[in-house]
Amino acid sequence: PLLLQTLLQSSPSDPTSTSTTTQTLPKLPKPRMAALRTLYDPFDGYAPLDSALILYFPSPRSFTGEDVVELHTHGSRAVVNGILHTLSQFSTSELLVAVG
């Protein structure tokens, strides 16, 4: 789940690089264990988006049999819109790599 690791990263490891493959990414939460983490926007200077409970269910031991990530965020429209806006900025290929 590279996408999740990117959202959990507070700053780039290499400030000259926008590629997530050259950055040191934070560890994911342990599978099936809730973790309180801060989500960051890598497209806006790593501005904090929200503190969220994150659960990671790796394949094949998830309901769908695929990697699943649950983000339990604060429910305000601003927070939800900010997170959805950030997710929408990833390219299709980045999203496919992140989930596949």
Side-chain angles (χ1 to χ4, degrees), residues 5-59:
Q5 289 174 292
T6 303
L7 290 175
L8 295 174
Q9 184 172 347
S10 60
S11 64
S13 297
D14 177 0
T16 62
S17 174
T18 56
S19 170
T20 56
T21 58
T22 62
Q23 300 171 3
T24 303
L25 298 173
K27 290 184 179 180
L28 292 172
K30 291 181 182 180
R32 294 169 296 287
M33 298 285 292
L36 181 62
R37 301 285 176 88
T38 301
L39 300 177
Y40 297 91
D41 185 347
F43 302 102
D44 187 20
Y46 291 89
L49 291 167
D50 191 25
S51 292
L53 281 178
I54 298 174
L55 289 104
Y56 169 52
F57 302 92
S59 65

